[in-house]
Amino acid sequence: MIDIALFIPCYVDQFYPKVGLATLELLERYGARVDYPQAQTCCGQPVFNSGSFDAAKPIADKFLEVFSSYQYIVCPSGSCTSMVRNHYAELVPDRIAELRSKTFELCEFLHDVLGAKPEGRFAHRVGLHASCHGLRELRLASGSERRVQPFDKVRSLLSGLEGIEFADLSRGDECCGFGGTFAVGEEAVSVAMGNGRIADHERGGAEIITGGDMSCLMHLDGLLRRQKKPIRVMHVAEILAEATGGHGHT
Amino acid sequence: MDTREGMTTEHPENAAAFVANDARLKWHDESLWFVRQKRDRATSVIPEWETLRALGADIKAHTLSRLADYLEEFEQKATALGAHVHFARDAEEHNRIVHGLLARANVTRVVKSKSMLTEQCGLNHYLEAHGIEVIDTDLGERIVQLRHEPPSHIVMPAIHLKKEEIGDLFHDTMGAASGTSDPKVLTEVARGRLRGNLLAAQAGITGVNFAIAETGGVVVCTNEGNADLGTSIPPLHIACMGIEKVIPRAKDLGVFLRLLARSATGQPVTAYSSHFHGPRPGGELHIVIVDHGRSAILGREHYRRTLQCIRCGACMNTCPVYRRSGGHSYGVTVPGPLGAVLAPHIDPKKHRSLPFASTLCGSCSDVCPVQIDLHQQLLLWRGELGHAELIPLRKRAASQLAGWVLARTWAYEFLGRIARWILPKLPKALLRANDWGRQRELPPAPKESFRELYRRRRGQ
Ligand code: SF4
């Protein structure tokens, strides 16, 4: 049986526990043994991206201490996964190799490792928000800048669901403007970017905006709720858990 | 890399001023996105695009690894062709050399084709202060020159202006009929004026896109043919280039010409790629090769790759922050992601906000035709600024505190619980008085965290 350590990012733990639960249920549904090491806190990204590399180092050390012994580490966030996989090299250079090969973003893990083909029903029109770190640092999809064979792991997981429709976006993978502390440090641009993304999803007729990073969705949701717009946000894990619940899986 | 008048050096403030004009914001964003899409279309017909990028990156990386040798070879070959090669350590020396050449030839009227290097060096002001008239011949460049402001983009210098504004400007400065906003008519007006300037010029200054070590020739790419016009009438041609513009062989040029135009404007090739191999008969060609901080970057392993840049501007067009904050908000000659990694080399304190003017979305790195890892460099700069204690104290203190908390499970859990308990009780006015809450709702504050739910589920 596959042994998985769940890595639930700090803000998901505190503000979006349901996303954590959906992730847990989903992975268990695919027959994995899932453990949530309770000593975990955060990957250190907010501190690291703010330029305090020295303050981020003890957090990375702690991460290693908590997670090193597991076969796989799976996280419902592209950004936090990328922090561990791509940026821990700055913080814990000599121990990065072991982490790199076994840390996965949730959709990536379902798609690449488990070969999952989720089935179930989700009769909604969703707008897929490709989060930048998942897209360009983890390569979960091909990205509009590069001229490579097109692929999209998140979309292919979702597209097996019955009744699901995707909103057509005019800018498929433009950044939503969250960017961690950017959201407060550059409030004006951040909000302008978020509103631009929302307008695109509205044009595409999305009822729900989904994606692999709750942080981007938190920013968009904050704007949507303030402007009292009817679009909801859901993490991909929530959609998959809801749709596949009771239907079994392949 | 001077700081712009009337602009602070803090990107967030400048950006907020730009964002405040909603119509301009939308239109600026859309104009640049249009160019980005044109670039996408132009690259999609090249099946080997990614290979070409890798090749371009490799050639540049190789050249940088033995830059001194290639510069020497270039100097020899160019001299053998009859050109004069000068080396300048910094902007000051560059300006002095150019002025010296002009003064020696008694030149008082110069035409210049677009060059970001001379812009960076402040050449126009320097020459004007010495009584020499400088006319920029690139249309966009001429527009910003007439407005007494710096370019806002390295390829499209006047992209921040609407055609109506240009109409007003041409009415005031060139006698265009009032209310004209037809780009074709305006271009004709400018062309008529420029013709006179070109005929009267005693010297032409150009930038350099590529300098070929093997042949000693320089290549200048323009869409308006102004480099040719500006150098074929006056007998004196001064070409100014940074040390990183050299490429090894003539056959490398094809790689870069294919990458440059497509990345810059989505054209298969620029309308004019002008080759200057030695002076024209009876004329003089001077090539001024400038360091101005570049060799310092070359010496810094992490940042060296920025010198691979071919100045196509694609990183600006794709950057969602640049598109929504305008080039002037960066307060430096080269804006956007590229500018944000270059500027701190010159003055880290002054430009400390630039590496933070990014969501680190990574689009710049993927669009860059020579594979510069721009967003990684932005991140590295953040670390470096933090290390040098150049990040505002409040922000640094917050990070240190967060770091302390996040390294301790008990502290994290405890504070998390307090935050979830207190947030819903805080008065709305308070929540709406900060940079998150002013325009966005806070995330929900659930009773239980995930770990609490998990414990309950597992019966722990
Ligand atoms: S960094 Fe890359 S994308 Fe940006 S201007 Fe230079 S070559 Fe073009």
Side-chain angles (χ1 to χ4, degrees), chain B residues 150-168:
Chain B
S152 74
H153 187 287
I154 62 170
V155 175
M156 297 163 280
I159 190 72
H160 59 296
L161 297 172
K162 289 196 147 183
K163 54 184 194 290
E164 289 77 16
E165 289 167 301
I166 295 166
D168 291 345

Side-chain angles (χ1 to χ4, degrees), chain B residues 68-217:
Chain B
D69 296 342
Y70 282 121
L71 283 170
E72 210 178 297
E73 186 185 346
F74 173 75
E75 182 193 13
Q76 273 168 16
K77 298 284 170 59
T79 310
L81 290 172
H84 302 272
V85 178
H86 312 258
F87 285 92
R89 211 161 305 133
D90 52 24
E92 223 282 297
E93 197 175 353
H94 161 264
N95 293 348
R96 220 167 343 107
I97 292 172
V98 174
H99 175 240
L101 293 168
L102 297 173
R104 212 194 47 195
N106 294 318
V107 171
T108 54
R109 287 188 304 269
V110 182
V111 285
K112 199 166 81 140
S113 88
K114 194 167 64 179
S115 153
M116 279 302 129
L117 174 75
T118 59
E119 187 63 42
Q120 203 176 63
C121 293
L123 180 67
N124 283 17
H125 292 303
Y126 185 92
L127 293 182
E128 278 155 15
H130 286 82
I132 297 175
E133 178 195 71
V134 189
I135 303 282
D136 277 305
T137 56
D138 172 90
L139 183 55
E141 197 83 344
R142 182 71 185 136
I143 291 167
V144 292
Q145 188 184 30
L146 286 169
R147 282 174 61 98
H148 305 289
E149 62 181 30
S152 74
H153 187 287
I154 62 170
V155 175
M156 297 163 280
I159 190 72
H160 59 296
L161 297 172
K162 289 196 147 183
K163 54 184 194 290
E164 289 77 16
E165 289 167 301
I166 295 166
D168 291 345
L169 176 72
F170 282 13
H171 172 67
D172 294 342
T173 57
M174 299 198 209
S178 120
T180 316
S181 64
D182 181 350
K184 243 180 137 176
V185 178
L186 292 174
T187 308
E188 279 312 317
V189 171
R191 181 179 285 177
R193 276 303 177 102
L194 275 175
R195 192 167 297 141
N197 297 135
L198 286 162
L199 288 171
Q202 300 152 309
I205 298 175
T206 68
V208 169
N209 288 89
F210 305 100
I212 307 164
E214 182 188 37
T215 64

